[in-house]
Amino acid sequence: QQQVKQSPQSLIVQKGGIPIINCAYENTAFDYFPWYQQFPGKGPALLIAIRPDVSEKKEGRFTISFNKSAKQFSLHIMDSQPGDSATYFCAASMDYGGSQGNLIFGKGTKLSVKP
Amino acid sequence: NAGVTQTPKFQVLKTGQSMTLQCAQDMNHNSMYWYRQDPGMGLRLIYYSASEGTTDKGEVPNGYNVSRLNKREFSLRLESAAPSQTSVYFCASSENFSGSDTQYFGPGTRLTVL
């Protein structure tokens, strides 16, 4: 059972565009939602994260929007650059509970930003 | 600091062979994880070690065993490799076993089982 659904699977935008990646979760016990960025041949690295008590978080050109009632969250990349071309994973986890340290990942979105 | 290191980077096995993937971290982290990454499947947790001396199964543990050798090292063993275990394997670590602790990933091991 997939607990975090991510879309789209792939995305192509022009430089300067605003790609949007969407995720939806099922388990209302999740209380931490990170996004990881992975460049080809590398391991994933934390990009930005949000808790459900805020509706938006910005770090540089990256913004997470969070809709608790809809159980959805999304990543927006402002003024996208070719260097942002990577695979992006959303994830969810719980601070408490038997498996609280475990991240549940979405299936990933491969983003390509054309010059 | 090297962060999380994994060896080997690439490996080709024949069906039925065994091998051990090595992982080490130099960040004094308590928790360590093994994931596999397959196209279109995202990252799936194989096993984790919340703290030194403990290991637990993740989402896809069948066909694998792990050893938390000490606080720094966490190895993944394939006793009898199968083609379905062809994948990229990532080791990760976090300071503590908490949902909000950042997981730091190694560079991965690309394994092909023929």
Side-chain angles (χ1 to χ4, degrees), chain A residues 1 9 32 34 36 38 41-46 51 87 89 93-95 97-103 105-108, chain B residues 33 35 37 40-45 48 57-59 90 94 96-108 110:
Chain A
Q1 181 184 2
Q9 192 170 358
Y32 184 72
Y36 279 75
Q38 183 183 29
K42 305 291 186 183
L46 179 67
R51 288 196 179 274
T87 299
F89 294 95
S93 65
M94 293 175 274
D95 264 344
S99 58
Q100 72 269 19
N102 291 335
L103 290 171
F105 284 93
K107 292 188 176 183
Chain B
Y33 313 81
Y35 292 91
Q37 183 176 23
M41 297 297 292
L43 291 151
R44 294 183 291 170
L45 184 65
Y48 65 97
K57 295 178 180 178
E59 180 186 356
F90 288 100
S94 62
N96 291 300
F97 191 60
S98 167
S100 58
D101 271 11
T102 300
Q103 291 191 17
Y104 296 85
F105 285 78
R110 187 173 295 273

Side-chain angles (χ1 to χ4, degrees), chain B residues 68-85:
Chain B
R68 183 76 183 265
L69 305 170
N70 48 55
K71 191 172 185 178
R72 289 186 64 248
E73 298 172 288
F74 189 37
S75 63
L76 178 71
R77 182 160 179 84
L78 286 70
E79 290 291 351
S80 178
S84 61
Q85 294 178 305

